[in-house]
Amino acid sequence: MKISVIGTGYVGLVTGTCLAEVGHDVTCVDIDETKISNLKKGIIPIYEPGLSELVLKNFESGSLKFTNQSPGVKDPEAIIFALPTPPNGDGEADLSYLLGAITHIAPQLKKYTVLVNKSTVPVGTAAKVTELAGSLTKTPFDVVSNPEFLKEGFAVEDFMKSDRIVIGSSSPKAVKVMQRLYAPFAQQGVPIIVMDEASSEMTKYAANSFLATKISFMNEIANICELTGANVEDVRRGIGIDPRIGGSFLRAGIGYGGSCFPKDVLALHTSSQLHDYDFKILEAVMQVNERQRDIFCDKVAKYIGDLKGKKLAVWGLSFKPNTDDIRESPPLGIISRLLGLGANIVAYDPEAAENVKKILGDKIIYAKTAIEATKNADALLLLTEWDEFVTADLKQVALSLKNKLIVDGRNAYNSQDVKNAGIKYVSVGRKVM
């Protein structure tokens, strides 16, 4: 199939590349000429394991192309919109990128085309896009809602081995086109779930909001564990084995972040308010998530004292491991609070440092290695559980620290291992060792 993908951000580039990998003729479009030029040279704008190799392979074979001329290819059978929908000042999803692209592309349609929305959008967006496109062209088309469920750090694997594909459409003709698009995945046993457009749009918000709720719930449990002497890791194992609950997204820590959960929870909460519904659970989820940063900083101050002038080593800047994404990153929220308390921050992250420099500049120091960051530090704060941090030589860390203290926001270590290395260990929802 001839496919255009509008937007070469995280979702668009992964989507276009993976569809090319299974045999489609894909052209990715972006208005950023520098990004397109770099992609043609094999320079990938994001860090995502396995993506660079697939982009290069499919670009060289000709199945994946890049251009800044939309819709990118003459007479595509489907145009996939993978554009940002950031929150506006009221917390609603900003649809200007999507609607702007529709305004530009709809008049260019020459034959029946399926307009596929992969962006995360409020319920009713498909209807809005249909109305807008219909006012701009006489060419027949259908609008489909096709949300993505990718996890950063595992996006290629998630796309190639999806647990489900959701197609939101009331048009049998459009559904057939989408079934052809995803036929290579259906043949591998991936379930394709067809529903109406509004239900599809709600499915994405419901999924992310529920996962965020699990995270905030477990952080509340962790806080109670600290007060009662219980161990949150034991609790996690005890409830996670229950198939009604499941073990994913139950790890206590410093809260959720990234490009999806914060904005999607906020957008669904805002949308409920616009319909005069008070979504109390989501309000609590957001409050707990924000408070978790404060609780972590309070722990640091509790075990160090006045933070003014103290050197704190920070391991991890990205919102999760295996990505350079720092959008709504919990570590950045914590660093901001610690800087406000007068602390000096020396940070290390395998991939995200350059992105952080664009935001924080010289407000913090950027170490070249993990161990360099800990040299003569008053404490080590582990904020992102990259593998190299989890497997670090704790005895070497002990020798490097001035004050033998680790405050772990991700429960990355076995408490006894840290104690055996001669380091005081403060984690989340567990006893201090």
Side-chain angles (χ1 to χ4, degrees):
M1 294 178 65
K2 290 171 63 177
I3 306 297
S4 285
V5 177
I6 310 299
T8 60
Y10 176 78
V11 174
L13 188 56
V14 172
T15 298
T17 301
C18 291
L19 289 176
E21 175 69 9
V22 297
H24 294 300
D25 182 359
V26 180
T27 301
C28 289
V29 184
D30 202 293
I31 61 173
D32 188 331
E33 294 185 12
T34 300
K35 184 185 286 188
I36 292 298
S37 176
N38 285 337
L39 283 167
K40 290 179 178 179
K41 297 174 185 175
I43 302 173
I44 310 302
I46 58 175
Y47 175 77
E48 181 64 37
L51 180 60
S52 180
E53 295 84 350
L54 279 188
V55 169
L56 183 60
K57 171 188 171 184
N58 287 282
F59 180 72
E60 289 180 343
S61 72
S63 59
L64 179 63
K65 305 173 187 68
F66 300 103
T67 182
N68 56 14
Q69 301 297 317
S70 58
V73 61
K74 183 180 179 181
D75 298 334
E77 295 175 73
I79 302 175
I80 298 174
F81 295 86
L83 296 164
T85 54
N88 62 22
D90 297 324
E92 293 182 79
D94 182 355
L95 301 179
S96 60
Y97 295 100
L98 172 62
L99 298 181
I102 294 293
T103 300
H104 178 71
I105 290 173
Q108 301 182 57
L109 300 180
K110 303 300 182 184
K111 67 178 185 64
Y112 174 77
T113 309
V114 178
L115 307 180
V116 184
N117 184 34
K118 267 209 170 292
S119 303
T120 303
V121 294
V123 175
T125 300
K128 186 177 294 187
V129 169
T130 299
E131 181 180 2
L132 175 62
S135 70
L136 298 169
T137 183
K138 299 296 184 181
T139 303
F141 68 90
D142 277 312
V143 175
V144 169
S145 172
N146 176 218
E148 51 83 18
F149 300 98
L150 306 177
K151 300 187 298 293
E152 292 193 41
F154 301 91
V156 172
E157 180 180 352
D158 281 350
F159 199 104
M160 299 303 292
K161 299 178 181 178
S162 302
D163 53 19
R164 84 283 205 192
I165 294 169
V166 173
I167 297 173
S169 176
S170 53
S171 164
K173 186 176 182 180
V175 169
K176 287 183 179 179
V177 172
M178 297 302 292
Q179 288 172 331
R180 284 178 53 220
L181 178 68
Y182 287 116
F185 303 95
Q187 291 168 2
Q188 298 173 15
V190 177
I192 294 181
I193 306 170
V194 180
M195 59 184 72
D196 64 83
E197 297 90 337
S199 297
S200 175
E201 291 164 342
M202 180 59 80
T203 295
K204 175 57 188 284
Y205 276 122
N208 280 354
S209 295
F210 184 76
L211 295 176
T213 299
K214 289 183 72 174
I215 293 170
S216 284
F217 175 82
M218 209 59 194
N219 281 331
E220 291 277 69
I221 293 295
N223 295 335
I224 298 173
C225 284
E226 291 184 15
L227 296 174
T228 60
N231 185 321
V232 74
E233 291 299 304
D234 290 338
V235 175
R236 177 179 64 83
R237 288 191 292 270
I239 67 173
I241 201 169
D242 187 330
R244 297 170 301 173
I245 297 174
S248 61
F249 292 87
L250 289 182
R251 288 193 174 275
I254 52 178
Y256 60 80
S259 63
C260 294
F261 285 9
K263 75 176 182 65
D264 291 353
V265 172
L266 177 60
L268 182 54
H269 183 261
T270 302
S271 178
S272 70
Q273 291 179 320
L274 293 175
H275 288 84
D276 296 321
Y277 184 78
D278 187 7
F279 207 145
K280 292 184 179 297
I281 289 178
L282 286 191
E283 184 173 350
V285 166
M286 292 185 289
Q287 291 174 349
V288 169
N289 196 59
E290 190 66 22
R291 186 178 65 182
Q292 207 65 13
R293 277 80 152 165
D294 293 327
I295 290 174
F296 182 86
C297 293
D298 290 343
K299 286 182 182 178
V300 176
K302 177 179 178 180
Y303 289 98
I304 293 180
D306 186 358
L307 295 180
K308 189 173 183 179
K310 296 294 174 62
K311 178 182 177 181
L312 302 178
V314 168
W315 280 2
L317 297 169
S318 57
F319 86 96
K320 64 181 290 188
N322 299 319
T323 179
D324 61 353
D325 196 342
I326 59 170
R327 288 173 289 182
E328 299 293 335
S329 175
L332 296 194
I334 287 172
I335 287 172
S336 177
R337 288 163 169 81
L338 295 174
L339 289 174
L341 294 171
N344 298 319
I345 305 294
V346 182
Y348 171 74
D349 187 285
E351 295 293 339
E354 291 302 316
N355 289 338
V356 173
K357 286 180 183 179
K358 298 173 185 176
I359 296 176
L360 294 182
D362 60 1
K363 291 181 181 179
I364 66 174
I365 297 172
Y366 306 89
K368 295 181 180 179
T369 66
I371 199 66
E372 178 188 314
T374 65
K375 188 175 181 180
N376 295 320
D378 291 287
L380 166 61
L381 315 183
L382 195 152
L383 303 184
T384 311
E385 66 278 31
W386 285 88
D387 286 345
E388 71 170 278
F389 303 154
V390 177
T391 60
D393 185 338
L394 294 174
K395 291 185 178 180
Q396 185 182 12
V397 172
L399 291 173
S400 184
L401 289 169
K402 180 174 74 174
N403 185 24
K404 314 305 183 191
L405 172 65
I406 292 178
V407 186
D408 182 357
R410 299 296 187 177
N411 287 358
Y413 299 122
N414 177 283
S415 299
Q416 192 61 48
D417 289 344
V418 183
K419 182 179 180 181
N420 291 343
I423 303 174
K424 188 167 190 175
Y425 185 53
V426 181
S427 55
V428 180
R430 299 186 290 182
K431 292 180 181 178
V432 175
M433 298 289 283

